[in-house]
Amino acid sequence: MNSLAPFVIFYLGALAALVLRGPVRIAVMLAVPLIGAANLMHIGGGFSTEFLGYTFTPVHVDKLSLIFGYLFHLATFLGVIYNLHEKDTLQHVAALVYAGSALGAVFAGDLVTLFVFWELLAVSSVFLILARRTARADRAGMRYLIINILSGVILLSGVILRAAETGSIAFEYLGTGSLANNLIFIAIGIKCCFPALHTWLTDAYPEATPGGTVFLSAFTTKVAIYALARGFPGTEELIYVGATMAMFPIFFAVIENDLRRVLAYSLINQVGFMVVGIGLGTDLGINGAVAHAFNDVVFKG
């Protein structure tokens, strides 16, 4: 590699935000996504190492990971601008760690690295809910954390089984059909808000701080979309799952009075279109899904 791993810049920025105050902290937080974007322009093909007989690839760079990388830098920059009025150190630090973890996940070249950042996503993002400091937010945050940690446990179970069966932990096309791959598929489905696995989003996102919701709408579900596009393109079941996701939230949204809960249902609806595109598996379908992910992060935030 001829540049830093993308998540490193964000984690360093989060550390700086923890100790700095006032205009200096604001300047650092605004600089982090700008420096990170410049770093992406010079990033190489990635980095791999051998350990315990497995090939670990903490950073893998291709067109799919790069487009999500640029998207997450843009989302962070917009989110930081929106949160400049906040003086809450917890929110600032959690937001940068959350964004950095999303970058770590989309540049992960092996399933173990994906799992590590998968869990860091859950742990860091829950603080954007708890930062509202209300009883409802506390309860919603704990439910959110439990379900997302469960997703990670299921993911890890699938990774272990796949490593035992195939001797590989590479994050590449997986497809359904084996128990290991099906477990990984379910873990991604939880974060992607598959029908009946979606309640953590509509429960927690409206209880987050306003600025926290901007960040939450940008990363977790989009990391899941990336993982589906990487591991399960052309999986026919996704067409039916995505079509259901595109339809059922609308019936809930029209009877809601909380605008942020309406937006949460709308988020599931839009993710459903992306899931359909990935299920189609064609170049046009995948490109459409990724392009819509880019659109949704910008307009939903």
Side-chain angles (χ1 to χ4, degrees):
M1 290 182 63
N2 52 12
S3 60
L4 286 173
F7 64 87
V8 171
I9 296 172
F10 280 69
Y11 285 175
L12 291 175
L15 183 61
L18 181 63
V19 299
L20 297 175
R21 296 292 183 272
V24 179
R25 179 199 284 174
I26 290 173
V28 168
M29 293 186 66
L30 286 172
V32 165
L34 297 177
I35 295 171
N39 178 66
L40 275 189
M41 295 179 183
H42 301 93
I43 199 166
F47 169 72
S48 297
T49 186
E50 296 288 331
F51 183 65
L52 297 178
Y54 294 99
T55 301
F56 289 83
T57 310
V59 179
H60 170 79
V61 182
D62 61 11
K63 290 181 179 180
L64 182 61
S65 57
L66 272 176
I67 191 67
F68 277 92
Y70 283 118
L71 171 60
F72 288 166
H73 281 78
L74 175 62
T76 303
F77 186 69
L78 295 175
V80 167
I81 290 175
Y82 184 79
N83 278 279
L84 288 181
H85 67 285
E86 294 284 358
K87 308 302 180 187
D88 189 351
T89 300
L90 176 64
Q91 287 189 64
H92 289 167
V93 174
L96 288 181
V97 174
Y98 180 37
S101 300
L103 285 167
V106 299
F107 283 100
D110 67 82
L111 292 167
V112 174
T113 301
L114 176 69
F115 162 75
V116 170
F117 288 111
W118 200 260
E119 295 292 68
L120 287 172
L121 268 174
V123 174
S124 57
S125 58
V126 74
F127 288 104
L128 298 174
I129 302 167
L130 299 177
R132 197 171 184 186
R133 296 176 174 88
T134 66
R136 286 174 60 92
D138 289 345
R139 291 193 297 269
M142 287 301 101
R143 290 191 292 268
Y144 171 93
L145 185 61
I146 290 169
I147 293 173
N148 277 272
I149 291 295
L150 174 63
S151 170
V153 172
I154 296 172
L155 174 64
L156 181 60
S157 301
V159 172
I160 292 172
L161 285 175
R162 180 170 173 79
E165 292 172 1
T166 67
S168 172
I169 57 171
F171 188 19
E172 55 193 8
Y173 175 77
L174 302 172
T176 55
S178 70
L179 176 59
N181 291 357
N182 288 344
L183 286 172
I184 295 171
F185 183 74
I186 293 170
I188 296 171
I190 292 175
K191 271 191 170 21
C192 206
C193 296
F194 282 4
L197 303 176
H198 68 282
T199 53
W200 61 267
L201 188 150
T202 54
D203 180 39
Y205 280 25
E207 301 303 330
T209 63
T213 305
V214 174
F215 278 96
L216 289 169
S217 69
F219 295 110
T220 298
T221 52
K222 304 314 177 295
V223 169
I225 286 295
Y226 164 83
L228 283 179
R230 172 74 68 192
F232 298 92
T235 301
E236 186 176 352
E237 293 86 347
L238 288 176
I239 299 174
Y240 305 103
V241 171
T244 304
M245 291 173 65
M247 291 186 292
F248 85 85
I250 302 305
F251 296 99
F252 290 93
V254 296
I255 61 174
E256 277 292 344
N257 294 318
D258 184 324
L259 182 56
R260 285 202 288 165
R261 196 173 297 275
V262 172
L263 288 172
Y265 281 116
S266 174
L267 178 60
I268 299 172
N269 160 261
Q270 298 300 313
V271 170
F273 293 118
M274 304 170 207
V275 171
V276 169
I278 294 169
L280 292 172
T282 62
D283 289 344
L284 188 61
I286 299 295
N287 288 339
V290 173
H292 193 46
F294 204 104
N295 294 339
D296 187 67
V297 165
V298 175
F299 82 72
K300 195 72 69 184

mmCIF file of all heavy atoms in Angstrom, residues 146-168:
data_model
loop_
_atom_site.group_PDB
_atom_site.id
_atom_site.type_symbol
_atom_site.label_atom_id
_atom_site.label_comp_id
_atom_site.label_asym_id
_atom_site.label_seq_id
_atom_site.Cartn_x
_atom_site.Cartn_y
_atom_site.Cartn_z
ATOM 1 N N ILE A 146 -28.262 -5.121 21.275
ATOM 2 C CA ILE A 146 -28.429 -6.576 21.383
ATOM 3 C C ILE A 146 -28.640 -7.205 20.008
ATOM 4 O O ILE A 146 -28.009 -8.213 19.653
ATOM 5 C CB ILE A 146 -29.606 -6.907 22.317
ATOM 6 C CG1 ILE A 146 -29.241 -6.567 23.769
ATOM 7 C CG2 ILE A 146 -29.992 -8.392 22.204
ATOM 8 C CD1 ILE A 146 -30.414 -6.610 24.715
ATOM 9 N N ILE A 147 -29.520 -6.617 19.206
ATOM 10 C CA ILE A 147 -29.815 -7.189 17.890
ATOM 11 C C ILE A 147 -28.602 -7.097 16.966
ATOM 12 O O ILE A 147 -28.290 -8.049 16.232
ATOM 13 C CB ILE A 147 -31.036 -6.481 17.265
ATOM 14 C CG1 ILE A 147 -32.299 -6.818 18.079
ATOM 15 C CG2 ILE A 147 -31.224 -6.910 15.808
ATOM 16 C CD1 ILE A 147 -33.521 -6.044 17.663
ATOM 17 N N ASN A 148 -27.885 -5.976 17.012
ATOM 18 C CA ASN A 148 -26.733 -5.835 16.129
ATOM 19 C C ASN A 148 -25.544 -6.689 16.567
ATOM 20 O O ASN A 148 -24.792 -7.181 15.725
ATOM 21 C CB ASN A 148 -26.341 -4.362 16.032
ATOM 22 C CG ASN A 148 -27.160 -3.599 15.026
ATOM 23 O OD1 ASN A 148 -26.839 -3.538 13.846
ATOM 24 N ND2 ASN A 148 -28.270 -3.010 15.489
ATOM 25 N N ILE A 149 -25.384 -6.880 17.874
ATOM 26 C CA ILE A 149 -24.357 -7.806 18.352
ATOM 27 C C ILE A 149 -24.719 -9.234 17.949
ATOM 28 O O ILE A 149 -23.862 -10.032 17.559
ATOM 29 C CB ILE A 149 -24.184 -7.699 19.874
ATOM 30 C CG1 ILE A 149 -23.552 -6.347 20.254
ATOM 31 C CG2 ILE A 149 -23.325 -8.841 20.402
ATOM 32 C CD1 ILE A 149 -22.141 -6.137 19.769
ATOM 33 N N LEU A 150 -26.017 -9.558 18.022
ATOM 34 C CA LEU A 150 -26.477 -10.876 17.578
ATOM 35 C C LEU A 150 -26.138 -11.093 16.110
ATOM 36 O O LEU A 150 -25.706 -12.186 15.719
ATOM 37 C CB LEU A 150 -27.982 -11.002 17.797
ATOM 38 C CG LEU A 150 -28.636 -12.278 17.256
ATOM 39 C CD1 LEU A 150 -28.087 -13.506 17.968
ATOM 40 C CD2 LEU A 150 -30.154 -12.215 17.411
ATOM 41 N N SER A 151 -26.321 -10.069 15.303
ATOM 42 C CA SER A 151 -25.938 -10.167 13.892
ATOM 43 C C SER A 151 -24.468 -10.530 13.762
ATOM 44 O O SER A 151 -24.093 -11.376 12.932
ATOM 45 C CB SER A 151 -26.223 -8.834 13.183
ATOM 46 O OG SER A 151 -25.670 -8.820 11.883
ATOM 47 N N GLY A 152 -23.625 -9.922 14.594
ATOM 48 C CA GLY A 152 -22.199 -10.229 14.549
ATOM 49 C C GLY A 152 -21.892 -11.648 14.983
ATOM 50 O O GLY A 152 -21.016 -12.307 14.403
ATOM 51 N N VAL A 153 -22.608 -12.141 15.995
ATOM 52 C CA VAL A 153 -22.389 -13.510 16.457
ATOM 53 C C VAL A 153 -22.762 -14.507 15.359
ATOM 54 O O VAL A 153 -22.054 -15.496 15.120
ATOM 55 C CB VAL A 153 -23.208 -13.780 17.737
ATOM 56 C CG1 VAL A 153 -23.158 -15.250 18.117
ATOM 57 C CG2 VAL A 153 -22.684 -12.923 18.887
ATOM 58 N N ILE A 154 -23.876 -14.253 14.684
ATOM 59 C CA ILE A 154 -24.284 -15.126 13.574
ATOM 60 C C ILE A 154 -23.255 -15.057 12.449
ATOM 61 O O ILE A 154 -22.894 -16.084 11.846
ATOM 62 C CB ILE A 154 -25.680 -14.723 13.070
ATOM 63 C CG1 ILE A 154 -26.726 -14.948 14.162
ATOM 64 C CG2 ILE A 154 -26.056 -15.523 11.814
ATOM 65 C CD1 ILE A 154 -28.101 -14.404 13.820
ATOM 66 N N LEU A 155 -22.776 -13.856 12.160
ATOM 67 C CA LEU A 155 -21.745 -13.696 11.131
ATOM 68 C C LEU A 155 -20.501 -14.493 11.484
ATOM 69 O O LEU A 155 -19.943 -15.221 10.645
ATOM 70 C CB LEU A 155 -21.401 -12.220 10.964
ATOM 71 C CG LEU A 155 -20.224 -11.883 10.022
ATOM 72 C CD1 LEU A 155 -20.547 -12.308 8.596
ATOM 73 C CD2 LEU A 155 -19.904 -10.392 10.078
ATOM 74 N N LEU A 156 -20.053 -14.378 12.730
ATOM 75 C CA LEU A 156 -18.854 -15.101 13.162
ATOM 76 C C LEU A 156 -19.056 -16.603 13.067
ATOM 77 O O LEU A 156 -18.144 -17.337 12.648
ATOM 78 C CB LEU A 156 -18.494 -14.698 14.591
ATOM 79 C CG LEU A 156 -17.242 -15.363 15.176
ATOM 80 C CD1 LEU A 156 -16.014 -15.030 14.343
ATOM 81 C CD2 LEU A 156 -17.034 -14.950 16.623
ATOM 82 N N SER A 157 -20.243 -17.084 13.425
ATOM 83 C CA SER A 157 -20.530 -18.516 13.311
ATOM 84 C C SER A 157 -20.391 -18.985 11.868
ATOM 85 O O SER A 157 -19.803 -20.032 11.593
ATOM 86 C CB SER A 157 -21.944 -18.816 13.827
ATOM 87 O OG SER A 157 -22.089 -18.416 15.172
ATOM 88 N N GLY A 158 -20.931 -18.187 10.945
ATOM 89 C CA GLY A 158 -20.805 -18.530 9.530
ATOM 90 C C GLY A 158 -19.371 -18.510 9.055
ATOM 91 O O GLY A 158 -18.942 -19.380 8.271
ATOM 92 N N VAL A 159 -18.608 -17.535 9.513
ATOM 93 C CA VAL A 159 -17.196 -17.426 9.113
ATOM 94 C C VAL A 159 -16.407 -18.636 9.600
ATOM 95 O O VAL A 159 -15.591 -19.218 8.857
ATOM 96 C CB VAL A 159 -16.587 -16.114 9.656
ATOM 97 C CG1 VAL A 159 -15.079 -16.090 9.408
ATOM 98 C CG2 VAL A 159 -17.247 -14.904 9.012
ATOM 99 N N ILE A 160 -16.641 -19.031 10.851
ATOM 100 C CA ILE A 160 -15.918 -20.186 11.407
ATOM 101 C C ILE A 160 -16.260 -21.452 10.633
ATOM 102 O O ILE A 160 -15.372 -22.248 10.277
ATOM 103 C CB ILE A 160 -16.250 -20.340 12.903
ATOM 104 C CG1 ILE A 160 -15.669 -19.170 13.702
ATOM 105 C CG2 ILE A 160 -15.703 -21.660 13.438
ATOM 106 C CD1 ILE A 160 -16.114 -19.140 15.139
ATOM 107 N N LEU A 161 -17.546 -21.659 10.358
ATOM 108 C CA LEU A 161 -17.950 -22.848 9.598
ATOM 109 C C LEU A 161 -17.368 -22.827 8.193
ATOM 110 O O LEU A 161 -16.897 -23.859 7.686
ATOM 111 C CB LEU A 161 -19.480 -22.923 9.522
ATOM 112 C CG LEU A 161 -20.209 -23.374 10.789
ATOM 113 C CD1 LEU A 161 -21.718 -23.289 10.593
ATOM 114 C CD2 LEU A 161 -19.805 -24.788 11.168
ATOM 115 N N ARG A 162 -17.369 -21.658 7.543
ATOM 116 C CA ARG A 162 -16.824 -21.567 6.194
ATOM 117 C C ARG A 162 -15.323 -21.839 6.194
ATOM 118 O O ARG A 162 -14.805 -22.519 5.304
ATOM 119 C CB ARG A 162 -17.117 -20.198 5.592
ATOM 120 C CG ARG A 162 -16.583 -20.030 4.176
ATOM 121 C CD ARG A 162 -17.083 -18.778 3.490
ATOM 122 N NE ARG A 162 -16.416 -18.585 2.220
ATOM 123 C CZ ARG A 162 -16.716 -19.224 1.092
ATOM 124 N NH1 ARG A 162 -17.708 -20.111 1.091
ATOM 125 N NH2 ARG A 162 -16.059 -18.992 -0.027
ATOM 126 N N ALA A 163 -14.620 -21.304 7.181
ATOM 127 C CA ALA A 163 -13.182 -21.549 7.259
ATOM 128 C C ALA A 163 -12.896 -23.030 7.450
ATOM 129 O O ALA A 163 -11.949 -23.579 6.866
ATOM 130 C CB ALA A 163 -12.577 -20.731 8.397
ATOM 131 N N ALA A 164 -13.716 -23.706 8.259
ATOM 132 C CA ALA A 164 -13.526 -25.139 8.486
ATOM 133 C C ALA A 164 -13.833 -25.959 7.238
ATOM 134 O O ALA A 164 -13.162 -26.954 6.952
ATOM 135 C CB ALA A 164 -14.415 -25.591 9.646
ATOM 136 N N GLU A 165 -14.842 -25.525 6.477
ATOM 137 C CA GLU A 165 -15.267 -26.277 5.298
ATOM 138 C C GLU A 165 -14.344 -26.060 4.105
ATOM 139 O O GLU A 165 -14.051 -26.992 3.354
ATOM 140 C CB GLU A 165 -16.695 -25.879 4.909
ATOM 141 C CG GLU A 165 -17.758 -26.320 5.908
ATOM 142 C CD GLU A 165 -19.126 -25.738 5.569
ATOM 143 O OE1 GLU A 165 -19.230 -25.020 4.549
ATOM 144 O OE2 GLU A 165 -20.079 -26.007 6.320
ATOM 145 N N THR A 166 -13.919 -24.803 3.910
ATOM 146 C CA THR A 166 -13.195 -24.456 2.678
ATOM 147 C C THR A 166 -11.723 -24.109 2.904
ATOM 148 O O THR A 166 -10.945 -24.079 1.953
ATOM 149 C CB THR A 166 -13.865 -23.260 1.981
ATOM 150 O OG1 THR A 166 -13.710 -22.084 2.801
ATOM 151 C CG2 THR A 166 -15.351 -23.527 1.758
ATOM 152 N N GLY A 167 -11.357 -23.798 4.133
ATOM 153 C CA GLY A 167 -9.987 -23.374 4.403
ATOM 154 C C GLY A 167 -9.703 -21.944 3.980
ATOM 155 O O GLY A 167 -8.555 -21.511 3.967
ATOM 156 N N SER A 168 -10.761 -21.203 3.656
ATOM 157 C CA SER A 168 -10.595 -19.827 3.190
ATOM 158 C C SER A 168 -11.486 -18.884 3.990
ATOM 159 O O SER A 168 -12.604 -19.249 4.370
ATOM 160 C CB SER A 168 -10.956 -19.721 1.703
ATOM 161 O OG SER A 168 -10.979 -18.366 1.280
#
